[in-house]
PDB file of all heavy atoms in Angstrom:
ATOM      1  N   CYS A  23     -15.850   0.432  -4.635  1.00  0.00           N
ATOM      2  CA  CYS A  23     -15.907  -0.946  -5.127  1.00  0.00           C
ATOM      3  C   CYS A  23     -16.257  -1.905  -3.988  1.00  0.00           C
ATOM      4  O   CYS A  23     -15.637  -1.883  -2.932  1.00  0.00           O
ATOM      5  CB  CYS A  23     -14.541  -1.301  -5.716  1.00  0.00           C
ATOM      6  SG  CYS A  23     -14.308  -3.007  -6.194  1.00  0.00           S
ATOM      7  N   LYS A  28     -18.588  -5.239   1.381  1.00  0.00           N
ATOM      8  CA  LYS A  28     -17.126  -5.223   1.497  1.00  0.00           C
ATOM      9  C   LYS A  28     -16.694  -4.413   2.715  1.00  0.00           C
ATOM     10  O   LYS A  28     -15.772  -4.798   3.439  1.00  0.00           O
ATOM     11  CB  LYS A  28     -16.505  -4.631   0.224  1.00  0.00           C
ATOM     12  CG  LYS A  28     -14.972  -4.648   0.185  1.00  0.00           C
ATOM     13  CD  LYS A  28     -14.494  -4.198  -1.180  1.00  0.00           C
ATOM     14  CE  LYS A  28     -12.982  -4.095  -1.266  1.00  0.00           C
ATOM     15  NZ  LYS A  28     -12.312  -5.407  -1.059  1.00  0.00           N
ATOM     16  N   ASP A  32     -14.594  -5.650   5.966  1.00  0.00           N
ATOM     17  CA  ASP A  32     -13.376  -4.958   6.397  1.00  0.00           C
ATOM     18  C   ASP A  32     -13.400  -4.659   7.890  1.00  0.00           C
ATOM     19  O   ASP A  32     -12.408  -4.844   8.598  1.00  0.00           O
ATOM     20  CB  ASP A  32     -13.218  -3.642   5.623  1.00  0.00           C
ATOM     21  CG  ASP A  32     -12.804  -3.845   4.177  1.00  0.00           C
ATOM     22  OD1 ASP A  32     -12.321  -4.936   3.846  1.00  0.00           O
ATOM     23  OD2 ASP A  32     -12.964  -2.890   3.389  1.00  0.00           O
ATOM     24  N   ILE A 139      -7.730   0.563   7.755  1.00  0.00           N
ATOM     25  CA  ILE A 139      -8.916  -0.185   7.326  1.00  0.00           C
ATOM     26  C   ILE A 139     -10.087   0.133   8.247  1.00  0.00           C
ATOM     27  O   ILE A 139     -11.203   0.417   7.779  1.00  0.00           O
ATOM     28  CB  ILE A 139      -8.632  -1.697   7.314  1.00  0.00           C
ATOM     29  CG1 ILE A 139      -7.568  -2.034   6.280  1.00  0.00           C
ATOM     30  CG2 ILE A 139      -9.916  -2.487   7.036  1.00  0.00           C
ATOM     31  CD1 ILE A 139      -7.067  -3.469   6.355  1.00  0.00           C
ATOM     32  N   MET A 144      -8.746   2.463   3.943  1.00  0.00           N
ATOM     33  CA  MET A 144      -8.273   1.336   3.173  1.00  0.00           C
ATOM     34  C   MET A 144      -9.240   0.169   3.313  1.00  0.00           C
ATOM     35  O   MET A 144     -10.175   0.211   4.114  1.00  0.00           O
ATOM     36  CB  MET A 144      -6.867   0.912   3.638  1.00  0.00           C
ATOM     37  CG  MET A 144      -5.782   1.924   3.364  1.00  0.00           C
ATOM     38  SD  MET A 144      -4.130   1.365   3.924  1.00  0.00           S
ATOM     39  CE  MET A 144      -3.881  -0.080   2.875  1.00  0.00           C
ATOM     40  N   SER A 145      -8.985  -0.853   2.527  1.00  0.00           N
ATOM     41  CA  SER A 145      -9.747  -2.096   2.591  1.00  0.00           C
ATOM     42  C   SER A 145      -8.763  -3.236   2.845  1.00  0.00           C
ATOM     43  O   SER A 145      -7.551  -3.064   2.674  1.00  0.00           O
ATOM     44  CB  SER A 145     -10.498  -2.319   1.277  1.00  0.00           C
ATOM     45  OG  SER A 145     -11.266  -3.504   1.315  1.00  0.00           O
ATOM     46  N   VAL A 146      -9.265  -4.379   3.256  1.00  0.00           N
ATOM     47  CA  VAL A 146      -8.379  -5.532   3.428  1.00  0.00           C
ATOM     48  C   VAL A 146      -7.767  -5.903   2.083  1.00  0.00           C
ATOM     49  O   VAL A 146      -6.564  -6.158   1.970  1.00  0.00           O
ATOM     50  CB  VAL A 146      -9.136  -6.733   4.021  1.00  0.00           C
ATOM     51  CG1 VAL A 146      -8.200  -7.936   4.151  1.00  0.00           C
ATOM     52  CG2 VAL A 146      -9.730  -6.392   5.377  1.00  0.00           C
ATOM     53  N   VAL A 147      -8.586  -5.919   1.047  1.00  0.00           N
ATOM     54  CA  VAL A 147      -8.127  -6.256  -0.305  1.00  0.00           C
ATOM     55  C   VAL A 147      -8.437  -5.093  -1.233  1.00  0.00           C
ATOM     56  O   VAL A 147      -9.539  -4.531  -1.192  1.00  0.00           O
ATOM     57  CB  VAL A 147      -8.811  -7.531  -0.830  1.00  0.00           C
ATOM     58  CG1 VAL A 147      -8.257  -7.894  -2.206  1.00  0.00           C
ATOM     59  CG2 VAL A 147      -8.627  -8.685   0.151  1.00  0.00           C
ATOM     60  N   GLY A 148      -7.481  -4.728  -2.060  1.00  0.00           N
ATOM     61  CA  GLY A 148      -7.700  -3.629  -2.992  1.00  0.00           C
ATOM     62  C   GLY A 148      -6.439  -3.321  -3.774  1.00  0.00           C
ATOM     63  O   GLY A 148      -5.432  -4.031  -3.665  1.00  0.00           O
ATOM     64  N   PRO A 149      -6.446  -2.250  -4.553  1.00  0.00           N
ATOM     65  CA  PRO A 149      -5.243  -1.843  -5.286  1.00  0.00           C
ATOM     66  C   PRO A 149      -4.119  -1.461  -4.331  1.00  0.00           C
ATOM     67  O   PRO A 149      -4.360  -1.113  -3.176  1.00  0.00           O
ATOM     68  CB  PRO A 149      -5.721  -0.621  -6.087  1.00  0.00           C
ATOM     69  CG  PRO A 149      -7.203  -0.750  -6.155  1.00  0.00           C
ATOM     70  CD  PRO A 149      -7.602  -1.401  -4.865  1.00  0.00           C
ATOM     71  N   ARG A 150      -2.911  -1.505  -4.816  1.00  0.00           N
ATOM     72  CA  ARG A 150      -1.756  -1.104  -4.014  1.00  0.00           C
ATOM     73  C   ARG A 150      -1.834   0.396  -3.740  1.00  0.00           C
ATOM     74  O   ARG A 150      -1.987   1.189  -4.673  1.00  0.00           O
ATOM     75  CB  ARG A 150      -0.467  -1.421  -4.780  1.00  0.00           C
ATOM     76  CG  ARG A 150       0.814  -1.149  -4.037  1.00  0.00           C
ATOM     77  CD  ARG A 150       1.997  -1.593  -4.883  1.00  0.00           C
ATOM     78  NE  ARG A 150       2.069  -0.815  -6.115  1.00  0.00           N
ATOM     79  CZ  ARG A 150       2.807   0.285  -6.254  1.00  0.00           C
ATOM     80  NH1 ARG A 150       3.530   0.730  -5.237  1.00  0.00           N
ATOM     81  NH2 ARG A 150       2.840   0.934  -7.393  1.00  0.00           N
ATOM     82  N   PRO A 151      -1.769   0.845  -2.470  1.00  0.00           N
ATOM     83  CA  PRO A 151      -1.849   2.284  -2.189  1.00  0.00           C
ATOM     84  C   PRO A 151      -0.656   3.029  -2.771  1.00  0.00           C
ATOM     85  O   PRO A 151       0.495   2.643  -2.549  1.00  0.00           O
ATOM     86  CB  PRO A 151      -1.862   2.343  -0.652  1.00  0.00           C
ATOM     87  CG  PRO A 151      -1.268   1.047  -0.205  1.00  0.00           C
ATOM     88  CD  PRO A 151      -1.635   0.032  -1.245  1.00  0.00           C
ATOM     89  N   TYR A 160      -0.780   5.620 -13.998  1.00  0.00           N
ATOM     90  CA  TYR A 160      -1.875   4.692 -14.260  1.00  0.00           C
ATOM     91  C   TYR A 160      -2.634   5.013 -15.536  1.00  0.00           C
ATOM     92  O   TYR A 160      -3.399   4.183 -16.022  1.00  0.00           O
ATOM     93  CB  TYR A 160      -2.845   4.691 -13.072  1.00  0.00           C
ATOM     94  CG  TYR A 160      -2.466   3.745 -11.960  1.00  0.00           C
ATOM     95  CD1 TYR A 160      -1.238   3.848 -11.313  1.00  0.00           C
ATOM     96  CD2 TYR A 160      -3.324   2.746 -11.555  1.00  0.00           C
ATOM     97  CE1 TYR A 160      -0.881   2.986 -10.299  1.00  0.00           C
ATOM     98  CE2 TYR A 160      -2.980   1.868 -10.533  1.00  0.00           C
ATOM     99  CZ  TYR A 160      -1.754   1.995  -9.910  1.00  0.00           C
ATOM    100  OH  TYR A 160      -1.405   1.129  -8.905  1.00  0.00           O
ATOM    101  N   TYR A 167      -8.547   2.676 -10.267  1.00  0.00           N
ATOM    102  CA  TYR A 167      -7.923   2.811  -8.953  1.00  0.00           C
ATOM    103  C   TYR A 167      -8.795   3.653  -8.033  1.00  0.00           C
ATOM    104  O   TYR A 167      -9.009   3.305  -6.856  1.00  0.00           O
ATOM    105  CB  TYR A 167      -6.538   3.446  -9.102  1.00  0.00           C
ATOM    106  CG  TYR A 167      -5.842   3.700  -7.779  1.00  0.00           C
ATOM    107  CD1 TYR A 167      -4.958   2.768  -7.246  1.00  0.00           C
ATOM    108  CD2 TYR A 167      -6.081   4.873  -7.053  1.00  0.00           C
ATOM    109  CE1 TYR A 167      -4.330   2.985  -6.031  1.00  0.00           C
ATOM    110  CE2 TYR A 167      -5.462   5.092  -5.835  1.00  0.00           C
ATOM    111  CZ  TYR A 167      -4.583   4.156  -5.336  1.00  0.00           C
ATOM    112  OH  TYR A 167      -3.965   4.381  -4.123  1.00  0.00           O
ATOM    113  N   SER A 170     -11.917   2.329  -5.877  1.00  0.00           N
ATOM    114  CA  SER A 170     -11.769   1.364  -4.784  1.00  0.00           C
ATOM    115  C   SER A 170     -10.899   1.931  -3.674  1.00  0.00           C
ATOM    116  O   SER A 170     -10.043   2.784  -3.919  1.00  0.00           O
ATOM    117  CB  SER A 170     -11.135   0.078  -5.310  1.00  0.00           C
ATOM    118  OG  SER A 170     -10.960  -0.867  -4.289  1.00  0.00           O
ATOM    119  N   ARG A 171     -11.122   1.480  -2.444  1.00  0.00           N
ATOM    120  CA  ARG A 171     -10.196   1.794  -1.362  1.00  0.00           C
ATOM    121  C   ARG A 171      -8.928   0.964  -1.564  1.00  0.00           C
ATOM    122  O   ARG A 171      -9.004  -0.221  -1.886  1.00  0.00           O
ATOM    123  CB  ARG A 171     -10.812   1.455  -0.004  1.00  0.00           C
ATOM    124  CG  ARG A 171     -12.020   2.315   0.380  1.00  0.00           C
ATOM    125  CD  ARG A 171     -12.491   1.959   1.785  1.00  0.00           C
ATOM    126  NE  ARG A 171     -13.616   2.789   2.224  1.00  0.00           N
ATOM    127  CZ  ARG A 171     -14.897   2.438   2.104  1.00  0.00           C
ATOM    128  NH1 ARG A 171     -15.218   1.252   1.594  1.00  0.00           N
ATOM    129  NH2 ARG A 171     -15.856   3.248   2.522  1.00  0.00           N
ATOM    130  N   PRO A 172      -7.747   1.549  -1.375  1.00  0.00           N
ATOM    131  CA  PRO A 172      -6.510   0.775  -1.493  1.00  0.00           C
ATOM    132  C   PRO A 172      -6.498  -0.371  -0.482  1.00  0.00           C
ATOM    133  O   PRO A 172      -7.136  -0.289   0.573  1.00  0.00           O
ATOM    134  CB  PRO A 172      -5.420   1.808  -1.176  1.00  0.00           C
ATOM    135  CG  PRO A 172      -6.052   3.126  -1.436  1.00  0.00           C
ATOM    136  CD  PRO A 172      -7.500   2.962  -1.073  1.00  0.00           C
ATOM    137  N   GLY A 173      -5.765  -1.440  -0.799  1.00  0.00           N
ATOM    138  CA  GLY A 173      -5.808  -2.637   0.029  1.00  0.00           C
ATOM    139  C   GLY A 173      -4.549  -2.932   0.807  1.00  0.00           C
ATOM    140  O   GLY A 173      -3.434  -2.607   0.372  1.00  0.00           O
ATOM    141  N   LEU A 174      -4.733  -3.556   1.958  1.00  0.00           N
ATOM    142  CA  LEU A 174      -3.612  -4.117   2.713  1.00  0.00           C
ATOM    143  C   LEU A 174      -2.941  -5.200   1.890  1.00  0.00           C
ATOM    144  O   LEU A 174      -1.728  -5.389   1.936  1.00  0.00           O
ATOM    145  CB  LEU A 174      -4.122  -4.686   4.036  1.00  0.00           C
ATOM    146  CG  LEU A 174      -3.145  -5.471   4.914  1.00  0.00           C
ATOM    147  CD1 LEU A 174      -2.013  -4.561   5.382  1.00  0.00           C
ATOM    148  CD2 LEU A 174      -3.858  -6.066   6.116  1.00  0.00           C
ATOM    149  N   THR A 175      -3.738  -5.922   1.127  1.00  0.00           N
ATOM    150  CA  THR A 175      -3.224  -6.903   0.185  1.00  0.00           C
ATOM    151  C   THR A 175      -4.040  -6.815  -1.095  1.00  0.00           C
ATOM    152  O   THR A 175      -4.998  -6.050  -1.177  1.00  0.00           O
ATOM    153  CB  THR A 175      -3.281  -8.332   0.768  1.00  0.00           C
ATOM    154  OG1 THR A 175      -2.583  -9.224  -0.112  1.00  0.00           O
ATOM    155  CG2 THR A 175      -4.717  -8.800   0.943  1.00  0.00           C
ATOM    156  N   GLY A 176      -3.638  -7.582  -2.096  1.00  0.00           N
ATOM    157  CA  GLY A 176      -4.335  -7.546  -3.368  1.00  0.00           C
ATOM    158  C   GLY A 176      -3.689  -8.485  -4.369  1.00  0.00           C
ATOM    159  O   GLY A 176      -2.795  -9.258  -4.025  1.00  0.00           O
ATOM    160  N   LEU A 177      -4.122  -8.392  -5.602  1.00  0.00           N
ATOM    161  CA  LEU A 177      -3.554  -9.261  -6.640  1.00  0.00           C
ATOM    162  C   LEU A 177      -2.058  -9.030  -6.805  1.00  0.00           C
ATOM    163  O   LEU A 177      -1.305  -9.963  -7.070  1.00  0.00           O
ATOM    164  CB  LEU A 177      -4.269  -9.011  -7.973  1.00  0.00           C
ATOM    165  CG  LEU A 177      -5.548  -9.807  -8.223  1.00  0.00           C
ATOM    166  CD1 LEU A 177      -6.220  -9.340  -9.509  1.00  0.00           C
ATOM    167  CD2 LEU A 177      -5.243 -11.300  -8.306  1.00  0.00           C
ATOM    168  N   TRP A 178      -1.614  -7.777  -6.650  1.00  0.00           N
ATOM    169  CA  TRP A 178      -0.186  -7.485  -6.764  1.00  0.00           C
ATOM    170  C   TRP A 178       0.608  -8.208  -5.688  1.00  0.00           C
ATOM    171  O   TRP A 178       1.747  -8.613  -5.892  1.00  0.00           O
ATOM    172  CB  TRP A 178       0.039  -5.973  -6.660  1.00  0.00           C
ATOM    173  CG  TRP A 178      -0.549  -5.381  -5.411  1.00  0.00           C
ATOM    174  CD1 TRP A 178      -1.831  -4.945  -5.236  1.00  0.00           C
ATOM    175  CD2 TRP A 178       0.106  -5.213  -4.162  1.00  0.00           C
ATOM    176  NE1 TRP A 178      -2.011  -4.501  -3.958  1.00  0.00           N
ATOM    177  CE2 TRP A 178      -0.849  -4.642  -3.259  1.00  0.00           C
ATOM    178  CE3 TRP A 178       1.392  -5.458  -3.693  1.00  0.00           C
ATOM    179  CZ2 TRP A 178      -0.543  -4.341  -1.940  1.00  0.00           C
ATOM    180  CZ3 TRP A 178       1.691  -5.156  -2.379  1.00  0.00           C
ATOM    181  CH2 TRP A 178       0.728  -4.605  -1.518  1.00  0.00           C
ATOM    182  N   GLN A 179      -0.001  -8.376  -4.500  1.00  0.00           N
ATOM    183  CA  GLN A 179       0.680  -9.003  -3.365  1.00  0.00           C
ATOM    184  C   GLN A 179       0.936 -10.491  -3.601  1.00  0.00           C
ATOM    185  O   GLN A 179       1.960 -11.028  -3.180  1.00  0.00           O
ATOM    186  CB  GLN A 179      -0.181  -8.822  -2.107  1.00  0.00           C
ATOM    187  CG  GLN A 179       0.343  -9.502  -0.861  1.00  0.00           C
ATOM    188  CD  GLN A 179       1.252  -8.608  -0.050  1.00  0.00           C
ATOM    189  OE1 GLN A 179       2.118  -7.955  -0.605  1.00  0.00           O
ATOM    190  NE2 GLN A 179       1.042  -8.582   1.248  1.00  0.00           N
ATOM    191  N   ARG A 191       1.664  -4.318 -12.402  1.00  0.00           N
ATOM    192  CA  ARG A 191       0.955  -3.948 -11.178  1.00  0.00           C
ATOM    193  C   ARG A 191      -0.324  -3.186 -11.497  1.00  0.00           C
ATOM    194  O   ARG A 191      -1.386  -3.449 -10.918  1.00  0.00           O
ATOM    195  CB  ARG A 191       1.845  -3.060 -10.299  1.00  0.00           C
ATOM    196  CG  ARG A 191       3.100  -3.715  -9.796  1.00  0.00           C
ATOM    197  CD  ARG A 191       3.812  -2.742  -8.866  1.00  0.00           C
ATOM    198  NE  ARG A 191       5.221  -3.076  -8.725  1.00  0.00           N
ATOM    199  CZ  ARG A 191       6.083  -2.389  -7.996  1.00  0.00           C
ATOM    200  NH1 ARG A 191       5.660  -1.322  -7.337  1.00  0.00           N
ATOM    201  NH2 ARG A 191       7.347  -2.738  -7.918  1.00  0.00           N
ATOM    202  N   LEU A 194      -2.993  -5.492 -12.850  1.00  0.00           N
ATOM    203  CA  LEU A 194      -3.601  -6.310 -11.794  1.00  0.00           C
ATOM    204  C   LEU A 194      -4.596  -5.497 -10.969  1.00  0.00           C
ATOM    205  O   LEU A 194      -5.666  -5.997 -10.599  1.00  0.00           O
ATOM    206  CB  LEU A 194      -2.520  -6.901 -10.896  1.00  0.00           C
ATOM    207  CG  LEU A 194      -1.655  -7.994 -11.515  1.00  0.00           C
ATOM    208  CD1 LEU A 194      -0.491  -8.347 -10.599  1.00  0.00           C
ATOM    209  CD2 LEU A 194      -2.479  -9.240 -11.816  1.00  0.00           C
ATOM    210  N   ASP A 195      -4.250  -4.245 -10.675  1.00  0.00           N
ATOM    211  CA  ASP A 195      -5.185  -3.379  -9.954  1.00  0.00           C
ATOM    212  C   ASP A 195      -6.464  -3.181 -10.759  1.00  0.00           C
ATOM    213  O   ASP A 195      -7.577  -3.231 -10.219  1.00  0.00           O
ATOM    214  CB  ASP A 195      -4.544  -2.018  -9.669  1.00  0.00           C
ATOM    215  CG  ASP A 195      -3.528  -2.063  -8.539  1.00  0.00           C
ATOM    216  OD1 ASP A 195      -3.521  -3.069  -7.795  1.00  0.00           O
ATOM    217  OD2 ASP A 195      -2.753  -1.105  -8.393  1.00  0.00           O
ATOM    218  N   ARG A 196      -6.311  -2.952 -12.057  1.00  0.00           N
ATOM    219  CA  ARG A 196      -7.474  -2.753 -12.925  1.00  0.00           C
ATOM    220  C   ARG A 196      -8.341  -4.007 -12.964  1.00  0.00           C
ATOM    221  O   ARG A 196      -9.574  -3.933 -12.878  1.00  0.00           O
ATOM    222  CB  ARG A 196      -7.013  -2.372 -14.334  1.00  0.00           C
ATOM    223  CG  ARG A 196      -8.160  -2.095 -15.303  1.00  0.00           C
ATOM    224  CD  ARG A 196      -7.647  -1.636 -16.650  1.00  0.00           C
ATOM    225  NE  ARG A 196      -6.851  -2.662 -17.311  1.00  0.00           N
ATOM    226  CZ  ARG A 196      -5.542  -2.555 -17.559  1.00  0.00           C
ATOM    227  NH1 ARG A 196      -4.880  -1.465 -17.190  1.00  0.00           N
ATOM    228  NH2 ARG A 196      -4.879  -3.519 -18.160  1.00  0.00           N
ATOM    229  N   TYR A 198      -8.577  -6.345 -10.688  1.00  0.00           N
ATOM    230  CA  TYR A 198      -9.253  -6.568  -9.411  1.00  0.00           C
ATOM    231  C   TYR A 198     -10.520  -5.724  -9.294  1.00  0.00           C
ATOM    232  O   TYR A 198     -11.580  -6.224  -8.901  1.00  0.00           O
ATOM    233  CB  TYR A 198      -8.326  -6.261  -8.236  1.00  0.00           C
ATOM    234  CG  TYR A 198      -9.087  -6.270  -6.929  1.00  0.00           C
ATOM    235  CD1 TYR A 198      -9.454  -7.464  -6.324  1.00  0.00           C
ATOM    236  CD2 TYR A 198      -9.501  -5.077  -6.328  1.00  0.00           C
ATOM    237  CE1 TYR A 198     -10.199  -7.483  -5.162  1.00  0.00           C
ATOM    238  CE2 TYR A 198     -10.242  -5.085  -5.157  1.00  0.00           C
ATOM    239  CZ  TYR A 198     -10.589  -6.296  -4.585  1.00  0.00           C
ATOM    240  OH  TYR A 198     -11.345  -6.314  -3.437  1.00  0.00           O
ATOM    241  N   VAL A 199     -10.415  -4.439  -9.609  1.00  0.00           N
ATOM    242  CA  VAL A 199     -11.560  -3.541  -9.453  1.00  0.00           C
ATOM    243  C   VAL A 199     -12.718  -3.955 -10.346  1.00  0.00           C
ATOM    244  O   VAL A 199     -13.885  -3.864  -9.951  1.00  0.00           O
ATOM    245  CB  VAL A 199     -11.135  -2.086  -9.750  1.00  0.00           C
ATOM    246  CG1 VAL A 199     -12.349  -1.155  -9.754  1.00  0.00           C
ATOM    247  CG2 VAL A 199     -10.119  -1.611  -8.710  1.00  0.00           C
ATOM    248  N   GLN A 202     -14.089  -7.576  -8.736  1.00  0.00           N
ATOM    249  CA  GLN A 202     -14.159  -7.745  -7.281  1.00  0.00           C
ATOM    250  C   GLN A 202     -15.406  -8.501  -6.837  1.00  0.00           C
ATOM    251  O   GLN A 202     -16.496  -8.312  -7.352  1.00  0.00           O
ATOM    252  CB  GLN A 202     -14.147  -6.375  -6.593  1.00  0.00           C
ATOM    253  CG  GLN A 202     -14.012  -6.422  -5.080  1.00  0.00           C
ATOM    254  CD  GLN A 202     -15.335  -6.665  -4.350  1.00  0.00           C
ATOM    255  OE1 GLN A 202     -16.401  -6.270  -4.857  1.00  0.00           O
ATOM    256  NE2 GLN A 202     -15.268  -7.294  -3.184  1.00  0.00           N
ATOM    257  N   ASP A 207     -12.049 -11.794  -2.665  1.00  0.00           N
ATOM    258  CA  ASP A 207     -11.331 -11.194  -1.533  1.00  0.00           C
ATOM    259  C   ASP A 207     -10.851 -12.268  -0.560  1.00  0.00           C
ATOM    260  O   ASP A 207      -9.700 -12.237  -0.105  1.00  0.00           O
ATOM    261  CB  ASP A 207     -12.245 -10.209  -0.806  1.00  0.00           C
ATOM    262  CG  ASP A 207     -12.395  -8.891  -1.555  1.00  0.00           C
ATOM    263  OD1 ASP A 207     -11.821  -8.753  -2.642  1.00  0.00           O
ATOM    264  OD2 ASP A 207     -13.089  -8.004  -1.031  1.00  0.00           O
ATOM    265  N   LEU A 210      -7.944 -14.169  -2.003  1.00  0.00           N
ATOM    266  CA  LEU A 210      -6.707 -13.391  -2.010  1.00  0.00           C
ATOM    267  C   LEU A 210      -6.102 -13.282  -0.612  1.00  0.00           C
ATOM    268  O   LEU A 210      -4.882 -13.279  -0.459  1.00  0.00           O
ATOM    269  CB  LEU A 210      -6.974 -11.996  -2.585  1.00  0.00           C
ATOM    270  CG  LEU A 210      -7.197 -11.943  -4.097  1.00  0.00           C
ATOM    271  CD1 LEU A 210      -7.656 -10.552  -4.537  1.00  0.00           C
ATOM    272  CD2 LEU A 210      -5.918 -12.334  -4.845  1.00  0.00           C
ATOM    273  N   ILE A 211      -6.951 -13.208   0.415  1.00  0.00           N
ATOM    274  CA  ILE A 211      -6.439 -13.185   1.782  1.00  0.00           C
ATOM    275  C   ILE A 211      -5.727 -14.496   2.110  1.00  0.00           C
ATOM    276  O   ILE A 211      -4.621 -14.504   2.670  1.00  0.00           O
ATOM    277  CB  ILE A 211      -7.588 -12.930   2.779  1.00  0.00           C
ATOM    278  CG1 ILE A 211      -8.118 -11.501   2.620  1.00  0.00           C
ATOM    279  CG2 ILE A 211      -7.120 -13.150   4.219  1.00  0.00           C
ATOM    280  CD1 ILE A 211      -9.404 -11.248   3.367  1.00  0.00           C
TER     281      ILE A 211
END
Side-chain angles (χ1 to χ4, degrees):
C23 173
K28 184 173 176 63
D32 287 342
I139 296 171
M144 293 180 63
S145 181
V146 178
V147 183
R150 184 176 63 94
Y160 274 58
Y167 177 94
S170 179
R171 294 184 178 95
L174 173 64
T175 189
L177 273 174
W178 55 274
Q179 176 91 315
R191 297 184 201 179
L194 289 171
D195 284 345
R196 182 176 63 246
Y198 171 77
V199 173
Q202 189 277 330
D207 283 2
L210 287 172
I211 292 169

